[in-house]
Amino acid sequence: MSSWRQAGLTYVNYSNIAAKLLRRALKPEFRTEAARREDSNIRFTPWKDGKAQKHLTTAAETES
């Protein structure tokens, strides 16, 4: 059995922890570029009667 599974983690959680640790270990000149990859944007569009309604804004969109 995998060590992350024995620790009670899902693969996604394990992968996120490993990615954060890797970003912290980078040299400062590479850290800023890697930090940008950490952010993600999601846009939700509700559908009604087969047609897209006005999309809902997320926190990431309002900060930009």
Side-chain angles (χ1 to χ4, degrees), residues 19-63:
K20 284 181 185 179
L21 290 173
L22 177 65
R23 285 186 206 104
R24 287 185 198 164
L26 290 172
K27 292 181 180 180
E29 61 265 17
F30 300 117
R31 216 178 270 174
T32 56
E33 185 179 336
R36 282 188 246 136
R37 292 188 202 124
E38 192 172 73
D39 296 333
S40 62
N41 296 319
I42 299 173
R43 179 180 283 189
F44 295 98
T45 303
W47 287 74
K48 185 176 180 180
D49 299 324
K51 295 182 181 177
Q53 305 298 308
K54 184 178 179 182
H55 79 275
L56 304 174
T57 57
T58 60
E61 288 180 326
T62 56
E63 291 173 3

